[in-house]
Amino acid sequence: MENHNKYYIEKLAQINAAAGIEKPTACVVTYGCQMNARDSEKFSGMLFEMGYDLTNDEQAADLVIFNTCCVRENAENKLYGNLGNLKEKKRANPHFKIVLAGCMMQQDIVVDKIKQSYNFVDVIFGTHNIYRFPELLYSHFETGDSIVDVWENATEIVEDLPSLREYPFKAGVNIMYGCNNFCTYCIVPYVRGRERSRKPADILAEIKVLAANGVTEIMLLGQNVNSYGIGLECGTTFAQLLYMVNDVEGIARIRFMSSHPKDMTDDVVFAMRDLPKVCKMLHLPFQAGSSRLLKLMNRKHTKEWYIDLIDRVKANIPDIALTTDIMVGFPGETEEDFQHTLDVARHVRFSSAFTFIYSRRHGTPADLMENQVDENVVKDRFNRLVTEVNAISLELNEGRVGKTLSILVESEGKNGVLNGRADDGSLVHFEGDKALIGKYVDVRITEAKTFYLIGEQVQ
Ligand code: SAH
Ligand code: SF4
Ligand code: F3S
């Protein structure tokens, strides 16, 4: 596999040299979730091996690859806007290449629209064959034709792709791909395929290499990490995997996302409680409070069941930080249904909540439901929800003023302020030397905001 790619990677380096571009540049633009962010690191790795320098400047680059998302309509619109902006550049400079990849490309209607309205795009492929990117780009350079190669299903999991990691001290690691849940509003199962779990040995080998290279924080990634293990011969469960990762020397923090409430078994709760490296934070989307709506969404849990689960988690791990995804405006949602959503938010008290307005997705069952909710009603509910969840976030943050937290410093922001994260995932700003990036620092919290905390380094 690797040699196969190497062949095309070398050919591409020659092609670029022959075109008189000594050091071509490429820009990887990423939309969507952590899964896409991780795939983009692989695109960057492959491009780097083809001889491209990576840049963030779309307009200056010799090649732009868009790693697309289609979970909501506004994610798709961003791509079309960007393509419109690059049209002139492409016309003026035919050697400039535009590549489209990711979830959006798994939909026939999108590919048809691009062929029709954006026919200057050079290469299109989807989520199931990202490892073939060098080969597809090569055939474009060889033939001059637009190349479209979208696979309907995933074949085997391809290990050992090159990768240029975004951070030297923290890393996302895929443990599984795809989703089997088919929530009726969601496009992800159609564009990411069925659940496939990576072998524990492959996951651990990757994490050991990361640890040896200085990574201390690992985020285990999957659409539904707690159904990890389906189809594996060894039968390893997610809880067992947590134990294995906890044993890797050099790793200090383990996070994971996302979890589905229906698969949040007690053994995972106990592993979180008992394993020192597993961070005390849990992202557990509930989407809506009304059990009637949850059934229509095919979420396979009720309001009461979710609340009971949260209460069990809190009883076992009292200092846990809970986060969630909430959606308003699912077809048929009434004011009464919405009140159940507010009720769950008030009962659980999430540290932070990602709130979304329901977006109709072509090909999903909910798109065919007749009772779509009026836009203004949805906006009003959305605003009330955001007010409520933000007030709770602020209250929880205020309760932490005066505490000292261990912060992994991630980046330098404006005016020399450092950004870092506590064990429970909260964002902390404090003044300090940027040499601290990648290190753990004790910070005393002095001020609380809705979305972050402000503190000072404890000397
Ligand atoms: N697999 C993860 C989440 C994947 S998508 C999980 O189920 O937890 C992230 C979030 O986007 C979802 O939790 C949901 O809240 C939101 N989402 C998915 N489809 C959507 C749609 N059609 N409209 C609006 N929000 C949507
Ligand atoms: Fe979408 Fe549901 Fe799968 Fe999450 S669990 S990706 S919301 S279908
Ligand atoms: Fe978007 Fe695909 Fe992730 S649709 S949310 S990038 S799995």
Side-chain angles (χ1 to χ4, degrees), residues 412-428:
E412 191 187 25
K414 279 180 233 144
N415 308 327
V417 172
L418 299 177
N419 311 315
R421 282 189 193 272
D423 174 277
D424 69 3
S426 45
L427 183 61
V428 179

Side-chain angles (χ1 to χ4, degrees), residues 145-159:
D145 295 337
S146 293
I147 305 288
V148 179
D149 190 24
V150 178
W151 296 3
E152 216 158 288
N153 298 306
T155 49
E156 85 278 39
I157 294 175
V158 176
E159 295 287 347

Side-chain angles (χ1 to χ4, degrees), residues 226-240:
N226 46 1
S227 73
Y228 173 80
I230 293 178
L232 282 179
E233 266 173 38
C234 57
T236 305
T237 63
F238 181 58
Q240 287 165 343

Side-chain angles (χ1 to χ4, degrees), residues 71-72 185-186 223 258-259 285 287 299 325-327 356-359 361:
V71 76
R72 284 170 291 277
Y185 49 80
C186 185
Q223 286 300 350
S258 277
S259 303
Q287 315 298 357
R299 286 291 292 181
D325 295 346
I326 314 174
M327 188 189 305
F356 304 109
I357 287 181
Y358 165 72
S359 168
R361 300 288 72 206

Side-chain angles (χ1 to χ4, degrees), residues 17 39 81 92 112 129 147 157 178 194 205 223 228 293 342 370 404 420 427:
D39 286 349
D112 289 346
N129 55 345
I147 305 288
I157 294 175
R194 295 296 66 71
Q223 286 300 350
Y228 173 80
L293 226 51
L342 289 179
E370 273 164 17
T404 297
L427 183 61

Side-chain angles (χ1 to χ4, degrees), residues 4-25 43 45-52 62-63 95 97 99 122-123 125 131-143 147:
H4 169 83
N5 247 351
K6 269 213 173 96
Y7 171 81
Y8 294 107
I9 284 171
E10 271 164 28
K11 287 267 185 199
L12 284 158
Q14 288 164 12
I15 287 173
N16 276 317
I21 306 172
E22 288 227 338
K23 204 61 192 156
T25 55
F43 294 139
M46 290 188 257
L47 285 162
F48 185 74
E49 293 203 353
M50 289 172 207
Y52 287 91
D62 298 298
L63 180 148
H95 194 75
K97 300 299 170 197
V99 180
D122 299 296
V123 180
F125 59 96
Y131 69 92
R132 293 194 66 200
F133 170 41
E135 186 176 347
L136 299 175
L137 186 60
Y138 174 72
S139 27
H140 165 72
F141 273 113
E142 271 295 282
T143 61
I147 305 288

Side-chain angles (χ1 to χ4, degrees), residues 83 90 98-100 114 118-124 146-147:
L83 285 179
K90 178 74 189 171
I98 301 179
V99 180
L100 303 183
I114 292 188
Y118 304 88
N119 61 1
F120 51 88
V121 168
D122 299 296
V123 180
I124 293 178
S146 293
I147 305 288

